[in-house]
Amino acid sequence: MTYAGVIYRPPSEARSLIVQVTTGCSHNRCRFCTMYRDKEFKIRSMEDIRRDFCEAREQYGDQIEKVFLADGDALVLSGQRLMELLAFSRGLFPRLRSVTSYGTPKDILRHSPAELKMLRQEGLSMVYLGAESGDARVLRQMEKGATREEIIEAGQRLKSAGIQSSVTLISGLGGKERLSEHAIGSADLISRMNPDYVGFLTLMLEKGAPVLRDIEEGKLELLTPEEVVTEMELFLRNVNSEGTVFRANHASNYVMLKGTLNRDIPMMLNELDEVRREKLFRRENRRRL
Ligand code: SF4
């Protein structure tokens, strides 16, 4: 297998075969993100990708059950190329039951509803979609490269094609100034998308993230753990997304929380209440990206 640079994958893909179909991220401009800053974006040749799949077949036999297509947005590939790769991997790995990838909203929308349905039929089972915020201003300030309407449409298009979606939001992305708008806008966004999964990270920045300049200049103020709880409460009080699995169990979070929307909202609000009362926050030096 040939891997170029650092490889990122969602925690739930820890047991998946990872094959890079691109290197880097075609957008690569979100101001909080440093994941692919050191990689020049490239779509790998079909020959190289097929060679990686064949090497994995030699190494692991027919044991592979899950594949994650890396890097930042495999859906930038044409529908035809993706379908070829999905069919190729199914041919090599008869036990394959899940093929997933990250997908930017713009790249999901490159594919027509009919094409997404065909990708589903060929085996694309889930897309990890970084929404980050449901507040239009925050999305603009962070140069997300997609409007809230586009993010909603991308989520809805996946859903009608039968492709599962796992949507990520970032606590604190609106800073103190946009706390309410970020929380309520994100709740509205999720309510309209009704994804299978929604996960919260909490804003943590690595050296080189452009948004650090905003913090230095006082344009963005990071939230305290108590304010993160307030933001989460606002989100939970406003969201309406029946059946969505909710997770805030990332290493960057001050507070661990999980449940199923809408059923577990009262339980999670009680937990937040207790966290605030007892100050049960993860310590700053224990947080990780
Ligand atoms: S689209 Fe995703 S990977 Fe690309 S820059 Fe934005 S957050 Fe990073």
Side-chain angles (χ1 to χ4, degrees):
M1 302 287 294
T2 314
Y3 290 117
V6 180
I7 302 294
Y8 295 92
R9 51 121 183 106
S12 47
E13 301 295 333
R15 300 176 71 82
S16 304
L17 169 71
I18 298 178
V19 178
Q20 279 177 304
V21 301
T22 65
T23 53
C25 162
S26 64
H27 178 55
N28 213 11
R29 289 186 56 183
C30 299
R31 303 191 72 237
F32 52 86
C33 175
T34 44
M35 291 205 297
Y36 301 110
R37 295 267 161 183
D38 59 342
K39 282 191 198 179
E40 193 189 336
F41 176 73
K42 209 174 76 189
I43 297 180
R44 295 183 70 211
S45 73
M46 291 296 271
E47 196 189 343
D48 287 349
I49 302 168
R50 280 201 209 95
R51 189 183 318 119
D52 279 355
F53 273 116
C54 290
E55 281 179 24
R57 166 73 207 200
E58 274 174 35
Q59 204 169 335
Y60 305 109
D62 64 356
Q63 298 304 302
I64 300 295
E65 295 184 4
K66 292 177 76 180
V67 167
F68 177 73
L69 303 174
D71 272 338
D73 55 351
L75 292 193
V76 75
L77 266 68
S78 70
Q80 192 179 339
R81 274 192 179 199
L82 284 167
M83 278 186 257
E84 271 181 47
L85 289 173
L86 289 164
F88 188 68
S89 52
R90 259 199 344 250
L92 287 177
F93 305 115
R95 298 178 193 211
L96 194 61
R97 56 184 167 83
S98 146
V99 182
T100 60
S101 78
Y102 288 128
T104 65
K106 284 255 164 70
D107 286 335
I108 294 166
L109 295 176
R110 272 177 212 278
H111 302 284
S112 68
E115 193 165 77
L116 285 172
K117 272 189 191 137
M118 285 194 274
L119 289 171
R120 174 67 199 109
Q121 280 159 14
E122 290 295 336
L124 183 65
S125 38
M126 179 153 83
V127 173
Y128 296 91
L129 198 176
E132 335 300 2
S133 177
D135 180 42
R137 203 163 115 189
V138 170
L139 290 169
R140 263 198 317 275
Q141 281 166 348
M142 293 296 154
E143 297 185 30
K144 182 61 205 164
T147 63
R148 60 173 264 125
E149 289 73 25
E150 286 169 328
I151 297 172
I152 292 167
E153 196 189 335
Q156 291 175 342
R157 213 178 268 193
L158 289 174
K159 197 173 185 69
S160 10
I163 299 172
Q164 289 197 315
S165 60
S166 178
V167 178
T168 306
L169 297 164
I170 304 180
S171 273
L173 200 60
K176 293 185 198 288
E177 194 190 332
R178 303 290 293 177
L179 184 154
S180 304
E181 291 84 353
H182 173 55
I184 295 171
S186 298
D188 179 65
L189 182 106
I190 294 301
S191 305
R192 289 166 193 261
M193 293 167 89
N194 185 227
D196 299 273
Y197 300 89
V198 60
F200 266 91
L201 282 70
T202 300
L203 187 62
M204 256 190 110
L205 298 162
E206 290 191 314
K207 216 170 137 208
V211 78
L212 283 168
R213 215 175 40 239
D214 297 3
I215 296 171
E216 278 162 22
E217 291 171 3
K219 291 181 190 156
L220 180 81
E221 284 185 88
L222 294 177
L223 300 190
T224 63
E226 286 83 357
E227 286 166 334
V228 169
V229 169
T230 303
E231 186 197 82
M232 190 62 79
E233 284 170 342
L234 262 179
F235 174 85
L236 288 172
R237 287 189 202 286
N238 286 278
V239 73
N240 176 6
S241 183
E242 206 58 65
T244 298
V245 175
F246 174 95
R247 293 282 182 266
N249 56 359
H250 189 262
S252 61
N253 291 344
Y254 289 111
V255 182
M256 305 281 278
L257 210 57
K258 56 183 184 177
T260 300
L261 304 179
N262 298 326
R263 187 192 68 195
D264 297 333
I265 290 176
M267 178 200 78
M268 292 193 280
L269 286 171
N270 282 341
E271 281 183 39
L272 287 175
D273 208 31
E274 189 187 346
V275 163
R276 175 184 278 121
R277 246 191 356 260
E278 307 291 333
K279 297 200 179 302
L280 302 171
F281 308 112
R282 175 180 272 141
R283 272 184 275 146
E284 199 59 55
N285 61 3
R286 295 281 174 98
R287 295 176 67 217
R288 299 275 178 276
L289 261 182

